[in-house]
Amino acid sequence: MHEQPAPRPHHTTTTERGSFALARCTCGWTGPARRSRDRARTDADDHLHTAEAV
């Protein structure tokens, strides 16, 4: 029997690129570019909640 690798925890960050902010996760997920930093953080929170539900 093969051992399954442990799932990687999700850790999100927000970065700025010009006048846009975007959220990223250690799992490879990237949110859409947003003009609102608050919306980018909300995207990151939504991703974490979705990832925990799976």
Side-chain angles (χ1 to χ4, degrees):
M1 180 179 245
H2 297 283
E3 289 185 35
Q4 295 291 330
R8 294 187 334 186
H10 292 262
H11 176 75
T12 58
T13 57
T14 55
T15 57
E16 293 185 23
R17 189 177 293 167
S19 60
F20 292 91
L22 50 104
R24 294 184 176 180
C25 182
T26 54
C27 74
W29 172 86
T30 302
R34 305 283 191 180
R35 288 195 183 270
S36 167
R37 289 181 188 95
D38 286 338
R39 182 62 188 149
R41 285 191 287 269
T42 300
D43 290 340
D45 288 340
D46 290 346
H47 170 71
L48 288 177
H49 293 295
T50 301
E52 289 174 355
V54 172

